[in-house]
Amino acid sequence: MPNMTVEKVGEIDLRDFGEIGIRCGDVNGDGKTELIIPQMSDAPVRKASAGGYPHEKTVHCITVLDLEGNILWQKGTPIGAAAHKHHGPGAFVVHDFDADGRDEIIYATQRDNLVFVRRLRGTDGECLAERETGATYVAMPTNLRGLGSRRDVVIGTGLSLVFAYDENLDPIWEWAYFYGGGHEHAAADVEGKGVDDLFIGVNRLDAQGNRIWWRPDLDDAMEGMRRCPHIDHVVVDELRPGSGDRQVLWFGGKDVVCLDAISGKLLWRFRGTHLQEGTIGRFDPSRDDKQICLFDKEEPGHPSFMLTSDGELLWKKPFGRTSLLAGAGPDGRDLLLAKKAFSGEPPFIGDHNGNCLATFPLPAAASGPGDRGFGWCARSLPVDDEGTRQVLVYNRSRLFRFALIAK
């Protein structure tokens, strides 16, 4: 594959409102990408999840700015760029819930030792709805009512409680179970019913919150915490494009597990120490199926693994945490973006063989996986009107915007 170059096209001083979890969206409907930065901290009273889970977060400041760095609005008081651990995605989602062409923001916050879920208008941050809730950890848009788009939101605690709301934050249902849901859930209409099924932890639920299947027998593949075993990330994908078959992949336990989405049948299992953050894409020009890049959080050396769609190992290298650069390769194939480089390395772009195609011209990362805000993070932007692919590289203090150029 030909090499690539990166060209810096913008720089933003994030001052005191920066964070290592930046979202992208179109909050004003102008067709351009805006940056939405939530600052989160540990909830002062951890009562919204079983056992007072220490990753429980609430949002206290939101800043929205354009790609040139102009602040469009800010709600709350920023806490500065000091080191603090931002673990997990937090209950914060940017999405067009009312289908008007402009994104809104739904998130969890805390006031007077009570937890609230709020929906803000994206154009100016005005609060459109608020309701007391019991979840602060993860949120995702979903289609539970069959309205043709994802106008509902599911919010979880990371462990045992899940709440479903419509776009006005009116409750639809709530659900409790034992095995934990972790950092990321998935929603997909795997049987063409016009509504999403939910894949939370070891479960598949229907749109009414009824359990279709669950696999607690695979608890030895999960992260074995004293409170309860759980799965950090759940992803639904079609590993063989065009087959019509969907697979459920569990990342962020001990092993990676691949299940049939409809039946819950175990298809394969790749054993590790604490495998996380699977990046799925069509990386290899010589293959028709997708490949899966994994990161092991606890194995010495923190290696990454590239697997086939059947769970067979292609390579093992120190590669760091990755995300997807969809269709960014010169041949239209997907590339890997090292979104959290190892200490002593800057973020880079890699191919299906784990080779570096381009390195971002920045000082090497001060810290890598487990970063508390001083090392670099990276994420891709949607392709702009001219077909240019861009990447953001940032920490809590500065943000750089790079254009990717194929040579």
Side-chain angles (χ1 to χ4, degrees):
M1 179 182 289
N3 289 330
M4 305 186 72
T5 60
V6 295
E7 177 183 336
K8 190 176 83 169
V9 294
E11 180 177 348
I12 301 174
D13 180 2
L14 298 182
R15 292 169 288 184
D16 58 350
F17 57 81
E19 186 51 270
I20 61 174
I22 293 180
R23 275 68 163 182
C24 295
D26 182 4
V27 297
N28 52 20
D30 64 355
K32 298 179 181 179
T33 297
E34 284 84 45
L35 306 179
I36 302 94
I37 305 178
Q39 281 192 332
M40 305 181 191
S41 58
D42 288 327
V45 179
R46 295 173 184 165
K47 60 183 181 180
S49 60
Y53 194 39
H55 298 332
E56 191 175 315
K57 303 293 180 182
T58 53
V59 176
H60 55 83
C61 181
I62 300 172
T63 306
V64 177
L65 60 160
D66 63 23
L67 291 179
E68 303 305 318
N70 301 304
I71 295 178
L72 304 183
W73 56 262
Q74 185 177 77
K75 299 291 182 180
T77 303
I79 62 173
H84 63 277
K85 189 173 184 180
H86 175 126
H87 191 108
F92 189 94
V93 60
V94 179
H95 180 73
D96 183 6
F97 285 96
D98 58 9
D100 68 348
R102 297 184 295 269
D103 287 333
E104 296 87 49
I105 298 167
I106 288 181
Y107 67 104
T109 190
Q110 190 166 136
R111 183 179 70 246
D112 299 327
N113 293 333
L114 296 174
V115 178
F116 294 87
V117 57
R118 287 180 182 162
R119 175 177 167 225
L120 302 186
R121 186 164 59 197
T123 52
D124 56 11
E126 179 181 344
C127 184
L128 301 175
E130 180 182 84
R131 182 173 297 274
E132 187 178 350
T133 188
T136 66
Y137 196 60
V138 61
M140 69 173 177
T142 184
N143 176 19
L144 301 179
R145 293 173 293 158
L147 298 180
S149 63
R150 289 181 169 170
R151 300 183 63 169
D152 310 305
V153 63
V154 168
I155 299 182
T157 60
L159 289 181
S160 59
L161 294 174
V162 178
F163 301 84
Y165 303 95
D166 66 16
E167 73 270 28
N168 297 313
L169 302 184
D170 292 327
I172 300 176
W173 47 257
E174 62 183 68
W175 191 68
Y177 63 112
F178 176 72
Y179 286 89
H183 306 313
E184 182 181 19
H185 308 156
D189 182 3
V190 296
E191 293 189 89
K193 297 181 294 186
V195 293
D196 285 335
D197 288 325
L198 305 178
F199 298 84
I200 300 174
V202 301
N203 307 274
R204 175 189 172 195
L205 310 179
D206 67 16
Q208 290 76 45
N210 302 307
R211 189 165 61 200
I212 298 173
W213 56 253
W214 73 320
R215 294 299 306 267
D217 56 301
L218 293 170
D219 63 353
D220 62 333
M222 305 177 209
E223 184 175 354
M225 296 185 65
R226 288 177 294 175
R227 298 180 182 89
C228 72
H230 66 275
I231 304 161
D232 285 344
H233 306 277
V234 181
V235 178
V236 177
D237 208 316
E238 187 180 19
L239 296 181
R240 296 175 183 83
S243 67
D245 297 326
R246 302 278 196 97
Q247 290 78 40
V248 181
L249 293 112
W250 295 350
F251 305 103
K254 175 180 174 291
D255 303 333
V256 168
V257 173
C258 181
L259 307 170
D260 177 79
I262 293 177
S263 67
K265 177 184 176 182
L266 177 64
L267 300 178
W268 54 261
R269 176 172 173 174
F270 184 81
R271 299 182 183 273
T273 305
H274 191 159
L275 294 165
Q276 282 197 333
E277 304 225 11
T279 303
I280 303 172
R282 299 184 72 172
F283 303 113
D284 189 343
S286 67
R287 302 181 66 99
D288 293 327
D289 62 343
K290 293 184 179 181
Q291 295 82 55
I292 306 154
C293 189
L294 311 167
F295 168 81
D296 200 307
K297 182 180 178 181
E298 295 182 11
E299 181 176 331
H302 303 297
S304 295
F305 305 83
M306 183 69 85
L307 308 182
T308 70
S309 60
D310 295 316
E312 298 176 0
L313 178 64
L314 294 173
W315 52 257
K316 174 181 178 180
K317 297 182 179 182
F319 205 68
R321 298 177 185 261
T322 62
S323 61
L324 182 69
L325 278 173
D331 56 359
R333 290 292 173 138
D334 302 329
L335 298 178
L336 291 163
L337 173 63
K339 68 176 183 180
K340 287 188 179 180
F342 285 111
S343 182
E345 296 180 1
F348 60 90
I349 298 170
D351 67 6
H352 64 287
N353 288 319
N355 299 315
C356 178
L357 301 180
T359 300
F360 295 94
L362 294 170
S367 59
D371 182 287
R372 290 176 179 262
F374 294 121
W376 298 113
C377 300
R379 64 159 300 156
S380 62
L381 288 175
V383 177
D384 63 22
D385 293 339
E386 299 178 355
T388 303
R389 173 81 57 170
Q390 296 188 5
V391 169
L392 305 179
V393 183
Y394 57 92
N395 56 25
R396 286 196 171 99
S397 301
R398 294 183 295 165
L399 179 146
F400 298 91
R401 186 160 48 96
F402 294 91
L404 309 187
I405 303 170
K407 296 174 63 177

